[in-house]
Amino acid sequence: MCLAIPGKILTINALDDTFRTGKVSFGGIQKEVNLCMVPEVQVGDYVLVHVGVAIGKVDEEEAQKVFNYLKDMGEVEELQTPPDGK
Amino acid sequence: MKYLTEYRDPELVEEFIKEIHRITTKPWTLMEICGGQTHSLVKNGILDMLPDKITMVHGPGCPVCVTSVSVIDEAIYLAEQPNTIMCSFGDMLRVPGSKKSLLEAKAEGADVRILYSPLEAVQLAKQNPDKQVVFFAVGFETTAPANALSVVHADQMGLDNYSILASHVLVPPAMEAILSDEENLIDAFLAAGHVCTIMGIDEYHPVAEKYACPIVVTGFEPVDLLQGILMAVQQLEKGEYKVDNQYARSVQREGNRLAQDTIQKVFAVSDRVWRGIGNIPQSGYEVNDRYKNYNARIKFNIDLPLAEENKECISGDIMKGLKKPKQCPNFGTKCKPEHPLGAPMVSSEGACAAYYHYAAQE
Ligand code: SF4
């Protein structure tokens, strides 16, 4: 649970500085992600996401390699948890 | 054992291994901090590729492993309050407290939910105004911005039914505690890449200086780890001790300032008891006074007796690098992933579980 997982930004909803969120796709799994710590990113960019918050930007090639590696290691299963935890 | 061709950059992997063998003349002990790195080293068979003179020991960088028994008891206490939803990252549920785990509390009827993000817990609080929602905020510096942000969100939305049970831990003070232990064997550290993505690398310079210990900020893939090990051994062989950055593609010197600001807004540095290691001064974060209404310890007036650690578990020696998992008399016998005696057997990032899953296949 300590690693950041790269994903691609599909949409951005900017409400204000702390509520800047977006939909991010992680190899097809979509999650709502907070984007306030990476103000420079745009739709189509790749970000490193840790427990629902983007903490840095990565380039596409790096993002894909890292994602595949994490998938092989079984480190992306946490993305499957439903939002109400049930 | 893996074939070289299975790695992302097989030529590079081979080159780094050759170079590490070529330059190593003395015995060195290196510790990787992060549990993700431990998992990767063990699962990818990297330990077998290193020269005999190099010993890798596995540090305390897994929040599941270092959260103290007393804090697990606090989480269970909260989960068992009426009208309360206790939310946590999934790995924490199986960690044994002094009497039971969160999973057992859930089986007995407590409302315990597994969430991907603390921000989802804030949504749950919004959807359930008649319930108290508590998030079990564990983690290293990487996780602190998200946990802090959940408090900021709840505050902006005016939610008075959200709080967090903070058990945050910090890497540099843990390094210092390990290095100043009189039995310390560690010659160099691989620091955790994503922790430094948030915090930057400057806070490691004083540690490298004070203990004459090379520190290499390293990623978690096999090529990263091998390059990090190479950079550390290069320094050791030359008698140098500075902070190097192997993971520059994700780590900038100054880290992520906005993330650091969010942490500072909500948290204050505090003492923290580490499971197996004991109290390390100024090694954690607690919710600060400004946001004390969101601190579950204050809100629920928690005052539990300090819990005893399980004496059968030697996780402290393992996380300080003094022993390997297989040297624990309970490894694989009384203690297995299905019924862990200690926390490092719970998550795949704990050293004991990593050895159990992969090294056991040798
Ligand atoms: S094998 Fe089990 S009992 Fe032994 S140190 Fe690891 S977690 Fe503790």
Side-chain angles (χ1 to χ4, degrees):
Chain A
M1 59 150 282
C2 290
L3 300 173
I5 304 173
K8 182 181 186 174
I9 303 178
L10 302 178
T11 56
I12 294 181
N13 334 303
L15 296 177
D16 62 44
D17 285 350
T18 37
F19 287 102
R20 186 168 187 256
T21 62
K23 246 197 189 52
V24 173
S25 166
F26 302 91
I29 305 169
Q30 292 184 15
K31 285 269 170 197
E32 186 81 10
V33 166
N34 185 288
L35 300 172
C36 71
M37 290 167 201
V38 285
E40 73 280 15
V41 298
Q42 306 290 337
V43 169
D45 285 345
Y46 286 79
V47 279
L48 276 176
V49 178
H50 179 64
V51 298
V53 176
I55 58 172
K57 203 178 150 191
V58 277
D59 70 44
E60 178 172 359
E61 193 191 333
E62 168 73 6
Q64 243 128 29
K65 287 178 178 171
V66 174
F67 184 80
N68 290 338
Y69 176 75
L70 289 176
K71 204 168 161 196
D72 285 350
M73 292 288 289
E75 299 272 8
V76 301
E77 280 155 24
E78 64 189 41
L79 295 169
Q80 310 275 8
T81 31
D84 64 356
K86 280 191 170 161
Chain B
M1 177 69 169
K2 285 221 166 191
Y3 293 105
L4 276 178
T5 47
E6 291 176 39
Y7 294 105
R8 164 165 158 177
D9 294 299
E11 300 84 23
L12 262 186
V13 167
E14 196 170 349
E15 216 173 281
F16 287 140
I17 295 170
K18 275 206 192 122
E19 188 60 11
I20 295 169
H21 278 265
R22 192 184 69 78
I23 67 164
T24 307
T25 66
K26 299 192 196 95
W28 303 114
T29 300
L30 278 61
M31 175 180 270
E32 83 281 0
I33 287 289
C34 151
Q37 294 171 333
T38 305
H39 187 195
S40 188
L41 282 172
V42 176
K43 182 163 179 178
N44 290 296
I46 294 172
L47 301 178
D48 302 331
M49 300 173 184
L50 297 174
D52 293 341
K53 287 200 169 84
I54 294 184
T55 308
M56 296 300 300
V57 291
H58 316 300
C62 152
V64 178
C65 302
V66 299
T67 302
S68 71
V69 183
S70 297
V71 174
I72 301 285
D73 285 352
E74 289 180 325
I76 292 167
Y77 170 85
L78 290 170
E80 291 178 337
Q81 296 305 302
N83 264 324
T84 302
I85 304 176
M86 182 76 207
C87 309
S88 164
F89 299 125
D91 281 349
M92 296 304 298
L93 263 66
R94 286 167 49 236
V95 182
S98 62
K99 294 194 191 67
K100 57 183 141 181
S101 65
L102 273 170
L103 194 63
E104 286 160 311
K106 183 177 164 79
E108 288 167 17
D111 193 348
V112 179
R113 314 269 183 104
I114 297 175
L115 296 182
Y116 161 65
S117 166
L119 300 175
E120 293 170 341
V122 178
Q123 287 305 320
L124 265 186
K126 193 176 162 201
Q127 289 153 12
N128 294 276
D130 51 335
K131 300 227 163 138
Q132 286 294 326
V133 174
V134 185
F135 190 78
F136 194 5
V138 300
F140 279 84
E141 291 92 329
T142 325
T143 316
N147 287 336
L149 197 58
S150 78
V151 169
V152 175
H153 271 197
D155 190 48
Q156 286 185 350
M157 296 185 341
L159 296 176
D160 59 6
N161 63 331
Y162 179 73
S163 58
I164 66 175
L165 176 66
S167 184
H168 264 288
V169 277
L170 303 174
V171 171
M175 278 182 170
E176 289 213 45
I178 290 169
L179 289 169
S180 54
D181 191 297
E182 47 191 39
E183 292 177 82
N184 169 52
L185 302 168
I186 289 148
D187 300 305
F189 274 109
L190 305 185
H194 287 159
V195 166
C196 297
T197 303
I198 303 285
M199 303 303 282
I201 61 179
D202 285 346
E203 57 182 352
Y204 293 92
H205 292 295
V207 183
E209 261 313 297
K210 181 169 171 195
Y211 298 92
C213 177
I215 300 175
V216 181
V217 177
T218 304
F220 52 86
E221 292 179 69
V223 258
D224 294 326
L225 287 159
L226 284 165
Q227 188 177 24
I229 292 168
L230 176 62
M231 289 165 82
V233 175
Q234 279 168 339
Q235 286 198 48
L236 289 168
E237 291 282 344
K238 283 194 259 178
E240 292 175 350
Y241 43 87
K242 50 183 194 202
V243 181
D244 260 343
N245 185 4
Q246 180 277 328
Y247 205 37
R249 62 184 197 273
S250 165
V251 175
Q252 265 145 32
R253 194 184 63 81
E254 69 281 5
N256 183 327
R257 286 267 162 73
L258 290 170
Q260 291 164 26
D261 290 349
T262 309
I263 294 173
Q264 269 163 23
K265 193 168 175 185
V266 174
F267 290 126
V269 174
S270 68
D271 291 356
R272 175 73 63 213
V273 175
W274 296 54
R275 190 169 190 134
I277 298 179
N279 184 51
I280 304 178
Q282 304 289 292
S283 69
Y285 288 134
E286 182 57 277
V287 180
N288 66 18
D289 280 347
R290 174 172 165 200
Y291 287 101
K292 63 175 184 297
N293 295 346
Y294 298 91
N295 181 344
R297 290 193 175 90
I298 295 177
K299 190 170 194 177
F300 292 84
N301 255 318
I302 307 183
D303 188 17
L304 298 179
L306 267 188
E308 286 263 324
E309 306 248 0
N310 184 338
K311 298 237 161 42
E312 289 185 281
C313 174
I314 61 158
S315 67
D317 284 353
I318 290 176
M319 290 186 290
K320 284 189 269 186
L322 303 175
K323 290 220 168 102
K324 291 275 198 172
K326 286 177 186 166
Q327 290 171 287
C328 172
N330 299 307
F331 178 83
T333 51
K334 262 169 112 175
C335 183
K336 293 184 182 188
E338 306 85 77
H339 44 90
L341 271 188
M345 193 54 103
V346 171
S347 125
S348 56
E349 275 142 39
C352 298
Y355 272 71
Y356 184 85
H357 285 304
Y358 304 111
Q361 300 162 3
E362 277 167 14

